Amino acid sequence: MHDLIALDRTALQESLRILRIARDTDWERPSPCAGWTLRDLVAHMAAQHHGFAAAARGSGADRTYWIAPDLGRDPFKVYDESVRHVLAAFAEEGVLERGFTLPEVGGAFPGRTAVGFHLLDYVVHSWDVATTLGIDIGVGLDLPRPVVDAALDVARRVPKDPEHRGPGAAFAPPLPTGEGASPLEEMLALLGRSPGHHTGQGRL
């Protein structure tokens, strides 16, 4: 069961690696998430790390942990600190057996399910950041197959009804996948993202 923690850590490390490429002029670029710049996206990512860390320690119902931080003059530093925070929380003994309260998702979940949600977030957000920075996804994004496969398994279980999809929702409506789509492409399509659709998508 600890493999899930390791897979999540790998996705987070890749989000850091990709984000290190960002220059000062990149932070106001539009991201694939509707209405968000790279700065907005990374603030959201940092907030999610703090929120999930709080949830792992029994305080997820406190919405103050989920507020996006001010990234200030050094957005990468703020994000890096948030990654360290959630990695420390997830490394604690028995985290996958705990209950996580995730107010933005809608309730309490077993630890293993909650960490799966977080893993999916950071596979997708690594793609979001890479896409924002114009990185060739097939070459520049390094997500090992076990990480993508685990995220795809979670994505296949995300509800597809209109209540959970569309403008203002975490997810855009699913897109069709072409024949021979890779696991990453299938996962993105299930969440309404596509390498051919770079803006106006959901806010996972």
Side-chain angles (χ1 to χ4, degrees), residues 47-195:
Q48 293 292 300
H49 293 328
H50 286 293
F52 270 86
R57 291 167 171 158
S59 300
D62 185 345
R63 288 183 176 268
T64 60
Y65 288 107
W66 302 87
I67 296 173
D70 181 356
L71 299 185
R73 294 179 176 273
D74 193 347
F76 180 82
K77 180 180 179 182
V78 175
Y79 181 68
D80 182 51
E81 289 172 349
S82 74
V83 169
R84 294 174 187 272
H85 189 60
V86 76
L87 286 178
F90 282 6
E92 292 174 4
E93 187 68 28
V95 70
L96 294 179
E97 289 74 48
R98 300 175 190 173
F100 280 53
T101 298
L102 306 175
E104 294 188 352
V105 181
F109 299 87
R112 184 172 180 82
T113 300
V115 174
F117 291 161
H118 190 263
L119 167 64
L120 177 62
D121 263 11
Y122 290 92
V123 171
V124 175
H125 284 328
S126 293
W127 179 87
D128 287 333
V129 172
T131 298
T132 303
L133 296 175
I135 293 168
D136 186 329
I137 305 304
V139 177
L141 185 62
D142 184 14
L143 289 167
R145 179 64 181 268
V147 172
V148 176
D149 285 346
L152 175 58
D153 182 61
V154 178
R156 285 172 172 161
R157 290 182 271 122
V158 172
K160 298 179 177 62
D161 57 279
E163 181 182 351
H164 296 89
R165 302 294 183 124
F171 309 101
L175 298 173
T177 54
E179 186 176 349
S182 70
L184 178 61
E185 289 168 339
E186 180 183 350
M187 183 207 69
L188 293 169
L190 284 169
L191 302 178
R193 284 166 164 82
S194 166

